[in-house]
Amino acid sequence: MRIEQLGEGTPEVAVVAAIHGDEPCGVRAVERVLDDPPAVDRPVKFVVANETALAKGVRYVDEDLNRAFPGDPDADTHEGRLAAALAEELRDCTTLSLHSTQSYAEPFALVDAVDEIARSVCPYLPVSVLVETGGQSEGRLIEYPHVIEVECGLQGSAAAADNGVDLIRGFLTATGALADDEPVAGEDADPVVVYRLGPSVPKSVAEEYEVFAHNFEEVAAGESFAAADGDELVADEAFYPVLMSPYGYEDVFGYRAERVGVLDG
Ligand SMILES: [Zn+2]
């Protein structure tokens, strides 16, 4: 774990990259921000979490770090120990954690529950979607209060790193960390639509997977939305697909979600 700090004092604002070692956008974005550091009114901590996995270009070494919280300093796995150290490091911080996906090019945010932090931060982020994962955050960093996860875009893309920089700037603005920068939520920005994550969509064992649905676009009841070796999956009832892709996860296509409302800045 690598930790850098902007400003003096004990940070209550943190940015985390590389929870997953195969998602380089967060580290690139953090390095770009630190290369040309903004003046800050509040100290900010930048954490590169899983350096070992990052160096190997793999998601994790022993187990998925984002399923390993709270972890244990004496855990048998690298990620189990790292989870405990990272949770301790972020204990008193409002935190932005940067990820990327194989399913969606536009940035979006995820929180365990839409609380005051989510309501105050998300309108400043360049996102039009907020996913509430409540009840499905087991072992994830967003299980902790004051943590907002963002998907910056497609894994490995330059655009995801660019979005990461914008997401960090928006987060630092929202938390009042930037000097000479009055927090102003984008007045012309689209409202943030909130989706609540439902059950995952399992993948049966097959050689070829397809997804016909588009994330955050409603799938109607009776519509075929994915296929495993040509066997089509048909929706029993209407839902919104989230994080859905043919090969993004080993054993699920992604998730069903319902649209629950709009955050008005
Ligand atoms: Zn990730």
Side-chain angles (χ1 to χ4, degrees), residues 180-200:
D180 314 319
D181 193 8
E182 280 299 306
V184 178
E187 283 181 4
D188 303 327
D190 290 333
V192 179
V193 181
V194 182
Y195 297 85
R196 185 174 297 135
L197 209 62
S200 59

Side-chain angles (χ1 to χ4, degrees), residues 53-71:
L54 185 68
K56 295 181 176 183
V58 296
R59 188 172 176 82
Y60 54 81
V61 180
D62 296 322
E63 64 170 321
D64 190 332
L65 177 57
N66 216 18
R67 304 291 182 275
F69 291 95

